[in-house]
């Protein structure tokens, strides 16, 4: 992935704020490649017909930082629960590779 220097937001361009971000606004436009009518959030679009995606810096508002995500787990990452393996009698029938 390459970074695009035009119109990209600088990380220090916004003051630190503890206020929650407002809900995203549903916006609508035509795909620049195929003309399909598409909808997006805050001016960020992706066309499901031809695959065109506009650059994230073209949006109407800044994207939230990771620490502003309300769904961010506050503790460390947890390993997913492992499913139990096959029963012992199935392991003996299938051989030593399991």
């Amino acid at each position: 992935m390459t970074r695009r220097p035009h119109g990209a937001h600088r990380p220090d361009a916004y003051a630190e704020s503890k206020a929650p971000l407002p809900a995203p606004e549903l916006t609508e436009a035509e795909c620049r490649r195929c003309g399909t009518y598409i909808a997006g959030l805050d001016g960020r679009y992706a066309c499901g017909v031809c695959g065109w995606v506009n650059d994230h810096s073209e949006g109407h508002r800044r994207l939230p930082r990771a620490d502003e995500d309300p769904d961010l787990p506050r503790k460390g990452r947890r390993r997913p629960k492992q499913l139990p393996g096959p029963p012992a009698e199935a392991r003996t029938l299938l051989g030593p590779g399991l």
Side-chain angles (χ1 to χ4, degrees), residues 2 12 15 17 41-42 44 47 50 53-54 68 70 77 85:
T2 59
D12 60 343
S17 173
L41 296 176
D42 290 332
R44 294 176 178 93
C47 179
C50 69
V53 178
N54 71 333
E68 295 173 326
R77 294 180 80 175

Side-chain angles (χ1 to χ4, degrees), residues 2-95:
T2 59
R3 295 193 181 266
R4 298 182 185 193
H6 66 280
H9 298 297
R10 294 185 336 243
D12 60 343
Y14 299 99
E16 294 292 321
S17 173
K18 299 296 180 191
L21 291 174
E25 177 186 353
L26 184 63
T27 53
E28 300 166 339
E30 285 187 10
C31 173
R32 294 181 195 163
R33 185 182 296 163
C34 69
T36 302
Y37 188 71
I38 55 177
L41 296 176
D42 290 332
R44 294 176 178 93
Y45 303 104
C47 179
V49 176
C50 69
W52 172 82
V53 178
N54 71 333
D55 191 63
H56 69 89
S57 65
E58 296 178 33
H60 300 161
R61 290 187 259 189
R62 70 175 180 87
L63 291 170
R65 296 185 317 265
D67 61 347
E68 295 173 326
D69 184 359
D71 298 326
L72 178 72
R74 297 299 170 200
K75 295 181 181 177
R77 294 180 80 175
R78 295 183 189 172
R79 284 188 107 170
K81 291 184 179 179
Q82 298 293 318
L83 295 175
E89 60 271 1
R91 276 185 254 155
T92 57
L93 293 173
L94 293 175

